[in-house]
């Protein structure tokens, strides 16, 4: 079972050069919910990470499912995140 905590400020780091990351800085800060104890396939390709103690490191990833292009964005649980320019670019790129 996962746990979450509201309104934490996380430092975020991009991983790699995937098109979903185009135009994002290599590091940025965002206020959002943090989730802990999530199960993620080790075959996923992680795009964003944090080292915040109240959040699991992966914040966005490409699913390991081979028959579809699936981008999972764990961020985006409130108006502060929705107004964040980096979050908006991430979602736009993913779409």
């Amino acid at each position: 079972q996962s746990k979450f905590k509201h309104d934490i400020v996380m430092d975020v780091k991009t991983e790699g050069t995937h098109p979903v990351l185009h135009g994002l800085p290599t590091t940025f800060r965002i206020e959002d919910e943090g989730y802990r104890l999530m199960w993620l396939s080790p075959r996923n390709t992680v795009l964003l990470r944090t080292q915040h103690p109240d959040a699991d490191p992966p914040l966005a990833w490409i699913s390991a499912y081979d028959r579809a292009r699936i981008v999972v964005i764990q961020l985006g649980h409130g108006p502060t995140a929705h107004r964040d320019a980096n979050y908006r670019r991430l979602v736009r790129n993913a779409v």
Side-chain angles (χ1 to χ4, degrees):
Q1 292 188 353
S2 64
K3 298 180 180 197
F4 64 93
K5 186 171 183 181
H6 292 281
D7 304 323
I8 61 174
V9 177
M10 294 178 273
D11 291 321
V12 178
K13 182 178 183 221
T14 61
E15 297 281 323
T17 58
H18 194 279
V20 171
L21 301 174
H22 179 75
L24 288 173
T26 56
T27 61
F28 61 93
R29 185 170 280 175
I30 191 167
E31 181 180 333
D32 203 354
E33 288 183 2
Y35 285 82
R36 299 273 308 147
L37 306 173
M38 295 185 303
W39 183 87
L40 301 173
S41 171
R43 293 181 44 223
N44 291 341
T45 301
V46 176
L47 299 176
L48 297 177
R49 291 188 187 274
T50 187
Q51 295 301 318
H52 195 285
D54 292 324
D56 285 340
L59 296 175
W61 56 90
I62 303 297
S63 173
Y65 184 67
D66 295 331
R67 296 182 181 229
R69 295 183 192 179
I70 300 171
V71 177
V72 180
I73 302 171
Q74 183 272 320
L75 298 170
H77 291 91
T80 303
H82 291 186
R83 287 188 296 265
D84 185 272
N86 292 311
Y87 173 77
R88 295 168 71 96
R89 179 175 295 273
L90 177 69
V91 171
R92 186 174 34 241
N93 289 350
V95 171

